[in-house]
Amino acid sequence: MRPIAVRHPEDPVEAVMEADALDAALGTATILVRGPLFGVVAQDAGQAPQWRVVTAVEAGCPQQARDSLNSFLWYRAKDEAQDREERRALLAAVARLETECVDNLTVLGTRYRIVRAEEYAGMGPGGIEQPRPTDPEPAVPDWSRSAKETFDDGLVLDPEAPVTPTQAAERLALRSLAYIGDRFPESVRTDSHRAVETHPDVMLLPTTFRTVEKSGPGWQTGGGLHASAHGARRSLDFALTWLQPRLRGLIPMDADGRDIDARTVAAEGTDPAAGELAEYAQAADRLRSEHANQVEVRGTVHRICRVRRLLRWGPDGPEGPRLSDTNSQTPCQMHPRLDEDGKIHYD
């Protein structure tokens, strides 16, 4: 195991975040593990032990991350290659990714790796953890449906970088994290315990947020990861006003236009479902007016939860996919054929 270097908070803002993190840790009774996420990292020559994130660690299976690496290298060959030799090397890597489940690849002196992270969240007396007061929020919230958020951009993973006391405590506490429940197949449990030995250290990735919902005894995920709590609220606003009404038959699936939603139909008041749609609109309005992190609509509780991610780390860097990890698809050709001169062939 690597020693963990601990540093003081750098400024008053980080000191307040540390106090907030300590309060959250003391109020956490257990953690909920959702499962693995996958992404792509790269290491340039002479940069060990650091790795940089190439595509965000958010994919649901290893092959989705391999496909993102396929696209990354294809576009690099198309737009950035300086000559035929460089383009040829990039396209050779693309060709392998189209037919093989490749998790480690060296191209033009840069090592690329598919990495595996564990997604988890804290659970306390109030249930699954919601955003903290010190989590960043935009000064002017953008509720437009075209708004985009990204995370992990330019992130450098350095296992030797000093961390704050609460970050160090979390890393130490999670070193022994492994699957033990009977609901996990034996192969999954075996791989999980083996990883504790082969990759004994952990690296914490930046916090993300997602929506979860509960209409029975347990929580279910209700969307993808977001860089901020506001991004998750915006996603939930869309789900409550546009998507859910269509899935529940309150608005026809073929209704034209993104502006036809629970708010507009309820405001007109002539549709037979206007009353029910008004409940969805009112819940979504609370997200906007109160910055609410939890709303309830017709027996279903929707909550914005605070998501943590960790990478296991071994002597050669971050952990890759495990043998027991499953894929939703097989390798395939992602883009038209590109020749070594940079010409695209659509045939």
Side-chain angles (χ1 to χ4, degrees), residues 183-216:
R183 69 187 181 91
F184 297 107
E186 182 179 356
S187 61
V188 172
R189 299 197 303 268
T190 299
D191 281 353
S192 182
H193 286 279
R194 183 186 299 115
V196 174
E197 301 297 328
T198 61
H199 295 77
D201 298 313
V202 297
M203 172 73 67
L204 301 180
L205 297 177
T207 301
T208 53
F209 303 83
R210 71 156 74 239
T211 62
V212 294
E213 58 187 52
K214 181 172 68 172
S215 55

Coordinates of all heavy atoms in Angstrom, one line a residue, residues 183-216:
R183 N -26.4 -12.0 -3.0 CA -27.1 -11.7 -4.2 C -26.1 -11.6 -5.4 O -26.4 -11.6 -6.5 CB -27.9 -10.5 -4.1 CG -27.1 -9.2 -3.9 CD -28.1 -8.0 -3.6 NE -27.4 -6.7 -3.5 CZ -27.1 -5.9 -4.4 NH1 -27.5 -6.2 -5.7 NH2 -26.5 -4.8 -4.2
F184 N -24.8 -11.4 -5.0 CA -23.7 -11.3 -6.0 C -23.3 -12.7 -6.4 O -23.0 -13.6 -5.5 CB -22.5 -10.5 -5.5 CG -22.8 -9.1 -5.2 CD1 -22.9 -8.7 -3.9 CD2 -23.1 -8.2 -6.2 CE1 -23.2 -7.3 -3.6 CE2 -23.4 -6.9 -5.9 CZ -23.4 -6.4 -4.6
P185 N -23.1 -13.0 -7.7 CA -22.5 -14.3 -8.1 C -21.2 -14.6 -7.4 O -20.4 -13.7 -7.1 CB -22.4 -14.2 -9.6 CG -23.4 -13.2 -10.0 CD -23.4 -12.2 -8.8
E186 N -20.9 -15.9 -7.3 CA -19.6 -16.2 -6.6 C -18.4 -15.6 -7.4 O -17.4 -15.2 -6.8 CB -19.5 -17.7 -6.6 CG -18.2 -18.2 -5.9 CD -18.1 -19.7 -5.8 OE1 -19.0 -20.4 -6.2 OE2 -17.0 -20.2 -5.3
S187 N -18.4 -15.6 -8.7 CA -17.3 -15.1 -9.5 C -17.1 -13.6 -9.2 O -16.0 -13.1 -9.2 CB -17.6 -15.3 -11.0 OG -18.8 -14.6 -11.4
V188 N -18.2 -12.9 -9.0 CA -18.1 -11.4 -8.7 C -17.5 -11.2 -7.3 O -16.6 -10.4 -7.2 CB -19.5 -10.8 -8.8 CG1 -19.5 -9.4 -8.3 CG2 -20.1 -10.8 -10.2
R189 N -17.9 -12.0 -6.4 CA -17.3 -11.9 -5.0 C -15.9 -12.3 -5.0 O -15.0 -11.6 -4.4 CB -18.1 -12.8 -4.0 CG -19.6 -12.4 -3.9 CD -20.2 -13.0 -2.6 NE -20.0 -14.5 -2.6 CZ -20.9 -15.3 -3.0 NH1 -22.1 -14.9 -3.6 NH2 -20.8 -16.7 -2.9
T190 N -15.5 -13.3 -5.8 CA -14.1 -13.7 -5.8 C -13.2 -12.7 -6.4 O -12.2 -12.3 -5.9 CB -14.0 -15.0 -6.7 OG1 -14.7 -16.1 -6.0 CG2 -12.5 -15.5 -6.8
D191 N -13.7 -12.1 -7.6 CA -12.9 -11.0 -8.2 C -12.8 -9.8 -7.3 O -11.7 -9.1 -7.3 CB -13.6 -10.6 -9.5 CG -13.3 -11.6 -10.7 OD1 -12.5 -12.5 -10.5 OD2 -13.9 -11.4 -11.7
S192 N -13.9 -9.5 -6.6 CA -13.8 -8.3 -5.7 C -12.8 -8.5 -4.6 O -12.1 -7.6 -4.3 CB -15.2 -8.1 -5.1 OG -15.3 -7.0 -4.3
H193 N -12.8 -9.7 -4.0 CA -11.8 -9.9 -2.9 C -10.4 -10.0 -3.4 O -9.4 -9.5 -2.8 CB -12.1 -11.2 -2.1 CG -13.3 -11.1 -1.2 ND1 -13.2 -10.5 0.0 CD2 -14.6 -11.4 -1.4 CE1 -14.4 -10.5 0.6 NE2 -15.3 -11.0 -0.3
R194 N -10.2 -10.5 -4.6 CA -8.9 -10.5 -5.3 C -8.4 -9.1 -5.5 O -7.2 -8.8 -5.3 CB -8.9 -11.3 -6.6 CG -7.5 -11.5 -7.2 CD -7.6 -12.1 -8.6 NE -8.1 -13.5 -8.5 CZ -9.3 -13.9 -9.0 NH1 -10.1 -13.0 -9.6 NH2 -9.7 -15.2 -8.8
A195 N -9.3 -8.2 -5.9 CA -8.9 -6.9 -6.2 C -8.4 -6.1 -5.0 O -7.5 -5.3 -5.1 CB -10.1 -6.1 -6.8
V196 N -8.9 -6.5 -3.8 CA -8.4 -5.9 -2.6 C -6.9 -6.2 -2.4 O -6.1 -5.4 -1.9 CB -9.2 -6.3 -1.4 CG1 -8.6 -5.8 -0.1 CG2 -10.6 -5.9 -1.5
E197 N -6.4 -7.3 -2.9 CA -5.0 -7.7 -2.8 C -4.2 -7.2 -3.9 O -3.1 -6.7 -3.7 CB -4.9 -9.3 -2.7 CG -5.7 -9.9 -1.6 CD -5.2 -9.5 -0.2 OE1 -4.0 -9.3 -0.1 OE2 -6.0 -9.5 0.7
T198 N -4.7 -7.3 -5.1 CA -3.9 -6.8 -6.3 C -3.9 -5.3 -6.4 O -2.9 -4.8 -7.0 CB -4.5 -7.5 -7.6 OG1 -5.8 -7.0 -7.8 CG2 -4.4 -9.0 -7.5
H199 N -4.9 -4.6 -6.0 CA -5.0 -3.2 -6.1 C -5.5 -2.6 -4.7 O -6.6 -2.2 -4.5 CB -6.0 -2.8 -7.2 CG -5.6 -3.2 -8.5 ND1 -5.8 -4.5 -9.0 CD2 -5.1 -2.5 -9.6 CE1 -5.3 -4.5 -10.2 NE2 -4.9 -3.4 -10.6
P200 N -4.5 -2.6 -3.8 CA -4.9 -2.3 -2.4 C -5.2 -0.9 -2.1 O -5.8 -0.6 -1.1 CB -3.6 -2.8 -1.6 CG -2.5 -2.6 -2.6 CD -3.1 -3.0 -3.9
D201 N -4.8 0.0 -2.9 CA -5.1 1.5 -2.7 C -6.3 1.9 -3.4 O -6.8 1.2 -4.3 CB -3.9 2.3 -3.1 CG -2.6 2.0 -2.3 OD1 -2.7 1.9 -1.1 OD2 -1.6 1.8 -3.0
V202 N -6.9 3.0 -3.0 CA -8.0 3.6 -3.7 C -7.8 5.0 -4.0 O -7.1 5.7 -3.3 CB -9.3 3.4 -2.9 CG1 -9.7 2.0 -2.7 CG2 -9.3 4.2 -1.6
M203 N -8.3 5.5 -5.1 CA -8.2 6.9 -5.6 C -9.7 7.4 -5.7 O -10.5 6.8 -6.3 CB -7.5 7.0 -6.9 CG -7.6 8.4 -7.5 SD -6.5 9.6 -6.7 CE -4.9 8.9 -7.1
L204 N -10.0 8.5 -5.0 CA -11.3 9.1 -5.1 C -11.5 10.0 -6.3 O -10.6 10.9 -6.5 CB -11.7 9.8 -3.8 CG -11.6 9.0 -2.5 CD1 -11.9 9.9 -1.3 CD2 -12.5 7.8 -2.5
L205 N -12.5 9.8 -7.1 CA -12.8 10.7 -8.2 C -13.7 11.8 -7.7 O -14.4 11.7 -6.7 CB -13.5 9.9 -9.3 CG -12.6 8.7 -9.9 CD1 -13.5 8.0 -10.9 CD2 -11.4 9.3 -10.5
P206 N -13.8 12.9 -8.5 CA -14.7 14.0 -8.1 C -16.2 13.5 -7.9 O -16.7 12.6 -8.6 CB -14.6 14.9 -9.3 CG -13.3 14.6 -9.9 CD -13.1 13.2 -9.8
T207 N -16.8 14.2 -7.0 CA -18.2 13.8 -6.6 C -19.1 14.1 -7.8 O -18.9 15.1 -8.6 CB -18.7 14.7 -5.4 OG1 -17.8 14.4 -4.3 CG2 -20.1 14.4 -5.1
T208 N -20.1 13.3 -8.0 CA -21.1 13.5 -9.0 C -22.5 13.4 -8.4 O -22.6 13.1 -7.2 CB -21.0 12.5 -10.2 OG1 -21.0 11.2 -9.7 CG2 -19.7 12.8 -11.0
F209 N -23.5 13.6 -9.2 CA -24.9 13.6 -8.6 C -25.8 12.8 -9.6 O -25.6 12.8 -10.8 CB -25.4 15.0 -8.4 CG -24.5 15.8 -7.5 CD1 -23.4 16.4 -8.0 CD2 -24.8 15.9 -6.1 CE1 -22.5 17.2 -7.2 CE2 -23.9 16.6 -5.3 CZ -22.8 17.3 -5.8
R210 N -26.8 12.2 -9.1 CA -27.8 11.5 -9.9 C -29.2 11.6 -9.2 O -29.2 11.8 -8.0 CB -27.4 10.1 -10.3 CG -27.5 9.1 -9.2 CD -27.6 7.7 -9.7 NE -26.4 7.1 -10.3 CZ -26.4 6.7 -11.6 NH1 -27.4 6.8 -12.3 NH2 -25.3 6.1 -12.1
T211 N -30.2 11.3 -9.9 CA -31.5 11.2 -9.3 C -31.8 9.7 -9.0 O -31.4 8.8 -9.7 CB -32.6 11.7 -10.3 OG1 -32.7 10.9 -11.5 CG2 -32.4 13.1 -10.7
V212 N -32.5 9.5 -7.9 CA -32.9 8.2 -7.5 C -34.4 8.3 -7.1 O -34.9 9.4 -6.8 CB -32.1 7.6 -6.3 CG1 -30.7 7.3 -6.7 CG2 -32.2 8.6 -5.1
E213 N -35.1 7.2 -7.1 CA -36.5 7.3 -6.8 C -36.9 6.1 -6.0 O -36.3 5.0 -6.1 CB -37.4 7.4 -8.1 CG -37.2 6.2 -9.1 CD -37.9 6.5 -10.4 OE1 -37.7 7.6 -11.0 OE2 -38.6 5.6 -10.8
K214 N -38.0 6.2 -5.2 CA -38.5 5.1 -4.4 C -40.0 5.2 -4.3 O -40.6 6.2 -3.9 CB -37.9 5.3 -3.0 CG -38.3 4.2 -2.0 CD -37.5 4.3 -0.7 CE -37.9 5.5 0.1 NZ -37.3 5.4 1.5
S215 N -40.6 4.1 -4.7 CA -42.0 3.9 -4.5 C -42.4 2.7 -3.7 O -43.5 2.4 -3.4 CB -42.7 3.8 -5.9 OG -42.1 2.7 -6.6
G216 N -41.3 2.0 -3.2 CA -41.4 0.8 -2.4 C -40.4 0.8 -1.3 O -39.9 1.9 -0.8

